[in-house]
Amino acid sequence: MRGEHLDAACRSWLELAAQAREADDRDERLAQLIAEHLAACPDCAASEAALTSLIQRYRDAAQPPLSEQRERRLLDLLCGPASASLASRPQPDR
Amino acid sequence: MKPWDIDLAIYEDELALLEGLRRRDRLACTCLVKRFAPRLYQLAVRLMGDPDEAEGVLQESVIQACAHVDAFQGRSELGTWLHRIVTNTALMHLRRRRPVTVDLEEQLQRRSPLPQALVDRTTEPSRAVIGAELREMVDRAIAALPDTLRTAFVLREVEGLSTKEAAAELGISESALKVRVHRARLMLREALAPYVHGEGRRREADA
Ligand SMILES: [Zn+2]
């Protein structure tokens, strides 16, 4: 696999994709043209497969948790500071 | 013990949780947040591309959900209903935020080059594992996409909705959705080139 893909031909596809204005009658054709190119161009096919694999791993990766601060702000907003009434000790000052 | 360290088992059952929410029970609200907020926050971050804006979306969504829980028909799962509320709220925020730009060249020029040193070279035993730095890079690349492309890409490729479902959530045609996803993928291929090529090598090594 070449180190730097996206040669002139493929770049022109990027530009076409970028310049095209959304319009239902053209979208179907454009989607088809892009799909055809991706299938026919070995470099794009390889890059697409590699991107799919990367995104799959990204999807499967554990995400950083909702921070305690953000969770507390959400709970305070929903339940009011009275959520402290559920506590066994008072909320710390903020 | 934190104020919300409570027994979440009380509302383990979804119907009981809904009942609790309809009664405006505080504990039910807390359970809702505990169970769904982390996942919904992730969705909001990915749709908005910004953690602080995502927090606003999450807050508004959960408040909306609690206020309109009576309207929840139970035809879908609670998680799916909440997913839709967060998506709609995020889209509303995005529409308000700034005019939509789909200028690819501008986006590519704005993109800062990726440091080669951060290319993930870990030889983790499982393909399912993704390095923290790599995840951050993907996060950043997705965040840098124009709003219209990011929302299409996130719903279809990250959240795993079907083309039909994602198009319906965004209120666009299925072909428009496909084009947006293609565009997003092309931009990501450029933005993530070092990783994508690393992924190619990984695949070759695996073969
Ligand atoms: Zn190509």
Side-chain angles (χ1 to χ4, degrees), chain A:
Chain A
M1 189 165 168
R2 251 186 293 149
E4 285 302 324
H5 176 53
L6 288 180
D7 52 23
C10 299
R11 196 172 291 277
S12 74
W13 281 100
L14 276 170
E15 280 156 15
L16 172 65
Q19 284 160 10
R21 289 283 167 268
E22 283 183 359
D24 275 349
D25 56 331
R26 270 185 297 167
D27 283 341
E28 191 61 59
R29 181 73 190 126
L30 184 57
Q32 195 189 336
L33 283 173
I34 296 173
E36 276 168 15
H37 173 82
L38 296 183
C41 167
D43 282 333
C44 275
S47 286
E48 281 287 300
L51 179 65
T52 298
S53 162
L54 180 70
I55 295 301
Q56 185 58 51
R57 294 202 303 134
Y58 171 76
R59 275 175 69 164
D60 295 343
Q63 293 299 313
L66 179 66
S67 74
E68 216 168 83
Q69 254 185 335
R70 292 193 201 274
E71 187 186 69
R72 165 178 294 206
R73 280 199 289 268
L74 181 59
L75 281 166
D76 282 352
L77 199 69
L78 271 183
C79 308
S83 62
S85 65
L86 295 165
S88 58
R89 60 182 184 197
Q91 275 189 308
D93 291 338
R94 265 164 303 138

Side-chain angles (χ1 to χ4, degrees), chain A residues 3 6 17 20 22 24 44 48 52-53 57-59 61-64 68 70-73 79, chain B residues 2 4 26 34 41-42 46 55 124 127 129-130 135 139 173 180 183 185 189-190 197 199 202:
Chain A
L6 288 180
E22 283 183 359
D24 275 349
C44 275
E48 281 287 300
T52 298
S53 162
R57 294 202 303 134
Y58 171 76
R59 275 175 69 164
Q63 293 299 313
E68 216 168 83
R70 292 193 201 274
E71 187 186 69
R72 165 178 294 206
R73 280 199 289 268
C79 308
Chain B
K2 294 179 200 83
W4 52 88
R26 281 177 191 286
K34 281 289 185 186
Y41 176 66
Q42 282 312 317
R46 284 169 171 165
E55 183 180 1
E124 67 270 35
R127 301 263 321 254
V129 177
I130 188 167
R135 189 190 60 219
D139 276 340
S173 71
R180 286 187 191 184
R183 287 178 184 162
R185 289 184 63 101
R189 260 170 57 184
E190 281 258 302
H197 291 299
E199 199 71 14
R202 183 195 303 271

